[in-house]
Amino acid sequence: MAYRLGIDVGGTNTDAVILDENNRVLAQTKTHTTEDIGSGIATAIQQVFADTEIAKEDVTIAMLGTTQCTNAIVERKKLISVGVLRVAAPATHSIPPFTDWDPELVAAIRPQTAIVSGGHEYDGRLIAAVDEDEVRTVLEQWRGKVDAVAIVGAFSALNADQEEQVRAVVAQVYGKDFPVSLSSAIGSLGLIERENATVLNSALFAVIEKVTSGFANSLRDVGVTDASLFLCQNDGTLMALDYVQKYPIFTIGSGPTNSIRGAAFLSELKDAIVLDIGGTTSDLGVLVNGFPRESSIAVNVGGVKTNFRMPDINSIGIGGGTVVHQHDDGTFTVGPDSVGYRITEKALVFGGDVLTLTDVAVRLGKANLGDPEKVAHVDFDLAQKVEQQVKQMLEDAIDSMKTQAGDVDLVLVGGGAIVAPATLNGVKQIHQDQLGAVANAIGATIAQVGGEYEKMYSYDAVDREDALADATEAAKQQALKAGARAETVKLVEMTETAIAYAPGNTTRVKAKVVGEIELDTLG
C-alpha cells in the first residue's frame, strides 16, 4: 500500500494528514508552526504517524501547502531587497515602479529602481533596443544593495527576448546563480500589474528557500526518505521543489485554494463560499461546480494589484493570533498584525501579554483553550465589541465574493474558526466538519501536478489550430518541469480572448493541463 502525506504550514499552525490510495483520511494532526519551519514540520510528521501503524518508508508522495509567502507580504516581514529593471524607456517614465504601493511594503522590500531602454508595442513592434552598457551601469550602482532582480519589459507577453537579454547581463555582472525574475514567466498583459507580481516574486526568494529546505530536511530527519516532494501552487495543483524556488509567487493563494478543495471534499458541496480562518489571515474563496473560481481581474495581494493567474481569493487580517490593540482613548483596532506561531507564548490565555482574537473567543465563552482565568480581567463589553467588528469585517468580505444577491452557503474551515461568530448576515447556513481544521492539508494531498501557458497569437499570421496546439504543448512543458508524468498530462482548460485593440485578429490563448505525479521527482 502506498500512502500520501500532506502538510500545510500556516503562519500559526502546521497541519498534517495521511491519505491512502482511495483518498481516505487515515490520520490527522495540528501543531504550532515554528520559526525555523522545519522543526514544526518534523513535529507534525511525528505526531501524524504516532497513532498509526503506517511505515514512513511506505509514503511515496509528500505535499506541502503553505501560506508563508502570503503572510510575509501581508505582515511586511522577511522580504528581501529587490532591484527593479523596467526595460521600457522612454515609453513608461510617466508611471514609475511602485505606483500606488503601500509605503510600508515598499520599505520592507527596500527597492532600487531603474527604467532602461527597451520594450515593444502591443503589436510586437520595437519601441527601443536594449542598451546593455546602460544595464551594466545600473547593476554596478546597485551592487551590494539588492538581493534579487525583477526584470519587466513592455508587452513582454508578446515577446520576451529583451527580458532574456537583460537576464544574461545580470548573470554576467552578478553571477549565474543570482536570483532573477522575468515578468513574462509570471504575469499577463498590463505592465504595472505584471511588474508588481514580478517584484513580489523576487522579494519572496528567501521565504520560499526557508520553506523548501525546511520541508526536505525535516522529512529526511524523521525517516520519510523515499517520497517525491511537491509544493502546492495557487491553481490547486502541485510543483516540484526546484520549480517553486523560481516561482514562489505561485504559492500565494495556494493555502486558500487547498482549503477550497478540502472544503469541497469534506462538505460535498458544489457551490459555496469557503472561509478559511487561520492564525494570521482569513481567506475567502468560491466553489463553482466543485472547483475554485479563478479571478478574471487584477488580484490584490497585500494591497498590491497583480495580474498573475490566481484563484479568486480575498484575504483579510483576521485570525486566531490577530492582535487587538487597545488605545488610551478607549478605542481599539483589530490587526492586521498577528502573533502567529508564537500564540502559545504571547496570547493571554497561554500566559502571555498580548490580547488576541483567541483571547476574545475564550473570554466570550466560545472556546475552551488555555486558562480562561487569564482573560477574566478583559472587559466583557470590549470583547463583544471586538467580536462585532470581526463579524462586520467577515460579512463585508463575504459580500465582496458574491456575484448575485441572496444568502449563500458557507463552508467554515481552518484552525482559527473559533473566532468566527455563530451567525453571519448574508449566509444561509454555515457548514463545518470535524476535519475542517486540516482542510488545507487534505486539499494539498489530493492535488495533481499542473501547468499553464498564456500567449498572444495573431490568427492572421498563425493558423488557429497551430496556435492552440502550441499553447497546449507549452503548458505541458510547464507541467513536466513542475513534476508531472508525461503520459498522464491532459488538457483541462483552453480559453481564447480576442484583443479588440490589436491588429491581425490577435487573440489571447490560455491553456491549462494537469497530470499525475512523477514518482522519480525528488526534492
Side-chain angles (χ1 to χ4, degrees):
M1 178 72 75
Y3 301 95
R4 292 186 174 205
L5 171 64
I7 303 166
D8 177 78
V9 180
T12 303
N13 294 310
T14 296
D15 307 334
V17 297
I18 299 174
L19 272 64
D20 64 13
E21 294 170 335
N22 298 314
N23 284 339
R24 290 182 301 177
V25 180
L26 304 179
Q28 56 95 10
T29 193
K30 180 182 292 287
T31 187
H32 290 298
T33 297
T34 55
E35 185 170 5
D36 64 352
I37 305 298
S39 61
I41 293 175
T43 299
I45 296 171
Q46 294 283 23
Q47 289 183 2
V48 80
F49 277 99
D51 297 327
T52 73
E53 297 181 357
I54 299 170
K56 293 174 182 175
E57 56 267 25
D58 289 338
V59 173
T60 57
I61 305 169
M63 300 90 156
L64 177 68
T66 178
T67 62
Q68 291 294 303
C69 288
T70 304
N71 295 344
I73 294 171
V74 170
E75 297 186 57
R76 282 70 165 127
K77 295 178 180 178
K78 304 175 184 178
L79 304 174
I80 62 175
S81 177
V82 179
V84 184
L85 272 173
R86 185 192 289 177
V87 190
T92 65
H93 280 291
S94 60
I95 305 178
F98 297 97
T99 298
D100 290 335
W101 279 55
D102 184 324
E104 289 185 0
L105 183 55
V106 177
I109 293 177
R110 309 173 302 284
Q112 301 289 323
T113 64
I115 303 176
V116 298
S117 299
H120 294 87
E121 298 283 5
Y122 65 86
D123 58 359
R125 288 182 292 123
L126 190 69
I127 294 175
V130 171
D131 184 338
E132 294 190 1
D133 288 337
E134 179 186 19
V135 174
R136 288 190 181 91
T137 298
V138 170
L139 294 174
E140 288 298 341
Q141 293 172 348
W142 290 355
R143 188 179 292 277
K145 299 178 181 178
V146 298
D147 302 309
V149 169
I151 302 173
V152 186
F155 283 101
S156 59
L158 291 171
N159 188 335
D161 289 349
Q162 288 189 337
E163 289 189 353
E164 294 286 358
Q165 183 181 358
V166 173
R167 174 163 62 177
V169 176
V170 175
Q172 292 170 6
V173 177
Y174 288 164
K176 62 182 181 63
D177 295 326
F178 192 83
V180 175
S181 299
L182 301 186
S183 76
S184 56
I186 293 170
S188 182
L189 291 177
L191 175 69
I192 300 302
E193 291 84 358
R194 175 162 40 87
E195 180 175 78
N196 292 345
T198 308
V199 171
L200 292 177
N201 189 73
S202 292
L204 291 167
F205 281 141
V207 174
I208 204 65
E209 171 60 31
K210 191 170 186 177
V211 170
T212 55
S213 61
F215 182 42
N217 293 337
S218 59
L219 284 170
R220 183 178 59 249
D221 292 345
V222 300
V224 179
T225 57
D226 296 325
S228 298
L229 310 184
F230 294 85
L231 257 69
C232 300
Q233 52 183 335
N234 54 19
D235 62 352
T237 62
L238 302 168
M239 50 186 167
L241 297 197
D242 58 346
Y243 190 83
V244 73
Q245 287 171 345
K246 298 177 183 177
Y247 304 109
I249 193 78
F250 290 155
T251 69
I252 291 180
S254 65
T257 297
N258 289 334
S259 291
I260 294 171
R261 289 176 56 83
F265 178 83
L266 294 171
S267 69
E268 298 183 351
L269 290 176
K270 295 294 185 181
D271 299 282
I273 289 180
V274 176
L275 172 60
D276 175 21
I277 305 181
T280 303
T281 61
S282 287
D283 302 313
L284 297 96
V286 182
L287 270 172
V288 178
N289 197 27
F291 292 91
R293 184 175 74 192
E294 186 171 334
S295 177
S296 59
I297 60 174
V299 176
N300 188 302
V301 178
V304 180
K305 286 187 177 181
T306 64
N307 67 356
F308 68 106
R309 58 116 170 96
M310 274 278 287
D312 191 2
I313 299 296
N314 184 14
S315 297
I316 60 174
I318 293 293
T322 297
V323 178
V324 178
H325 298 276
Q326 297 176 265
H327 306 300
D328 293 339
D329 62 358
T331 61
F332 66 89
T333 52
V334 178
D337 52 323
S338 169
V339 297
Y341 64 87
R342 301 184 67 187
I343 190 168
T344 54
E345 303 172 27
K346 296 294 187 178
L348 297 180
V349 291
F350 298 115
D353 57 1
V354 179
L355 178 61
T356 69
L357 289 183
T358 293
D359 298 314
V360 171
V362 174
R363 180 68 179 92
L364 293 174
K366 296 166 52 181
N368 185 21
L369 294 173
D371 183 358
E373 290 299 318
K374 294 185 181 298
V375 293
H377 68 282
V378 175
D379 184 74
F380 194 80
D381 182 58
L382 170 68
Q384 288 182 314
K385 289 179 179 177
V386 170
E387 184 185 43
Q388 187 60 38
Q389 180 168 328
V390 169
K391 176 180 169 71
Q392 185 64 56
M393 293 172 71
L394 291 176
E395 288 172 348
D396 290 345
I398 291 168
D399 284 344
S400 74
M401 304 302 290
K402 295 180 181 179
T403 56
Q404 59 187 22
D407 293 349
V408 296
D409 284 303
L410 180 78
V411 185
L412 178 61
V413 297
I418 59 170
V419 309
T423 61
L424 290 161
N425 293 326
V427 172
K428 180 167 44 180
Q429 183 177 352
I430 298 176
H431 301 262
Q432 284 187 271
D433 186 276
Q434 61 180 359
L435 292 174
V438 292
N440 277 2
I442 292 173
T445 312
I446 61 176
Q448 294 175 297
V449 179
E452 191 170 284
Y453 184 76
E454 183 177 342
K455 186 178 178 180
M456 307 273 283
Y457 295 91
S458 171
Y459 282 172
D460 286 352
V462 179
D463 183 78
R464 175 177 176 272
E465 294 302 320
D466 291 340
L468 299 184
D470 179 68
T472 301
E473 178 59 27
K476 179 179 179 179
Q477 292 304 314
Q478 291 295 325
L480 297 179
K481 292 177 183 177
R485 196 164 70 245
E487 65 272 18
T488 69
V489 176
K490 61 181 180 181
L491 181 69
V492 295
E493 182 181 342
M494 175 72 76
T495 59
E496 300 172 84
T497 306
I499 307 301
Y501 57 80
N505 195 17
T506 299
T507 302
R508 181 191 302 171
V509 177
K510 179 179 177 181
K512 180 177 179 178
V513 302
V514 297
E516 298 302 322
I517 292 171
E518 174 56 70
L519 294 180
D520 291 334
T521 303
L522 300 177

